[in-house]
Amino acid sequence: MTVGIALPVPEPWGSLVREARIGYGEARAQHIPTHITLLPPTETSTELLEELLVHLSELARHSPPFPVVLRGTGTFRPVSDVVYIQVARGVSSCEQLQLGVRNGPVWRPLDFPYHPHVTLAHDLPHGVLDRAFAEFGDLVAEFEARNFVVYIHHGDEVWRPLVTYELAGTPAEDAARPGV
C-alpha cells in the first residue's frame, strides 16, 4: 500500500483549488484532496503502518495548531512542471511537522528539498501552467492548521483518508520536542 500524510486545506479554498486543477485538465485531481504535503507518497507494509500510526498519534499530541497563510503562486519550473500556491506563513511549522513525521518508522529520502506548498497544476502543457500561475497570483487564504491526515491508496491512485490527527500540543511543547 502507499501512504501519504498531509495538512488539509479547508473550505472554501480546498474546493476552489481542486476544481481549478480539474478545470486545467488534471483528471487525477478528482482523487487528490487539496493539501500541504508532510510525507509524499511512500510504499509501506501493514506492520510499518501500524508503527507509523502510533508515532503520528504521539507527534500530534505534542504539536500545536498553527496559522497558515497561502498567498500568490510559484513554480518549480524548469526542474518540475508544477505551479503551486505559496505558503507565506506557517512554513517553519510545516517544516517541523514534516520532519517529525519523517523521523518515524516510515522514512524515505525526498526527491527535492522540502518546500511546503499547495499544488495548483502539475504535468500540464506550459500554456496551462502559465494560466494557472496568473489566475491564482492574487489569492490569499488564511486558516489555522488544526490537524493532519493519513491517506492511503492500493495502486489505484485514489487517496482515501485513513486517520485524522488533531494537533493538540502547546507552543512550549513544540519548542521543547527533541529531534525537531
Side-chain angles (χ1 to χ4, degrees), residues 27 38 50 90 122:
L38 298 173
E50 290 174 13
H122 185 206

Side-chain angles (χ1 to χ4, degrees), residues 11-174:
E11 298 303 330
W13 306 288
S15 292
L16 176 73
V17 172
R18 190 177 193 179
E19 290 168 13
R21 287 183 78 175
I22 293 166
Y24 293 138
E26 194 175 338
R28 68 180 166 205
Q30 295 176 45
H31 307 294
I32 303 173
T34 305
H35 66 280
I36 300 169
T37 300
L38 298 173
L39 179 72
T42 303
E43 292 293 321
T44 191
S45 66
T46 302
E47 296 79 23
L48 277 178
L49 179 61
E50 290 174 13
E51 289 179 43
L52 176 64
L53 297 180
V54 170
H55 169 74
L56 295 175
S57 177
E58 190 67 16
L59 178 65
R61 192 166 66 85
H62 294 287
S63 299
F66 57 93
V68 174
V69 175
L70 305 177
R71 183 182 303 126
T73 50
T75 184
F76 294 128
R77 295 187 290 175
V79 175
S80 179
D81 284 336
V82 174
V83 170
Y84 58 85
I85 300 168
Q86 298 185 72
V87 176
R89 182 172 182 200
V91 172
S92 63
S93 295
C94 289
E95 289 172 339
Q96 290 175 354
L97 197 53
Q98 74 85 29
L99 187 59
V101 167
R102 290 183 55 245
N103 280 335
V106 175
W107 182 88
R108 65 163 281 193
L110 297 177
D111 297 333
F112 303 100
Y114 182 72
H115 180 82
H117 65 280
V118 176
T119 299
L120 181 57
H122 185 206
D123 290 338
L124 296 170
H126 286 255
V128 175
L129 295 172
D130 293 341
R131 191 173 106 221
F133 187 90
E135 288 178 352
F136 278 80
D138 293 332
L139 177 80
V140 176
E142 299 181 24
F143 60 92
E144 185 169 61
R146 296 181 178 177
N147 57 48
F148 61 86
V149 180
V150 178
Y151 296 93
I152 61 167
H153 76 70
H154 298 280
D156 60 1
E157 298 297 322
V158 175
W159 289 99
R160 296 170 182 88
L162 179 66
V163 181
T164 299
Y165 290 98
E166 298 299 320
L167 299 174
T170 64
E173 282 181 292
D174 190 47

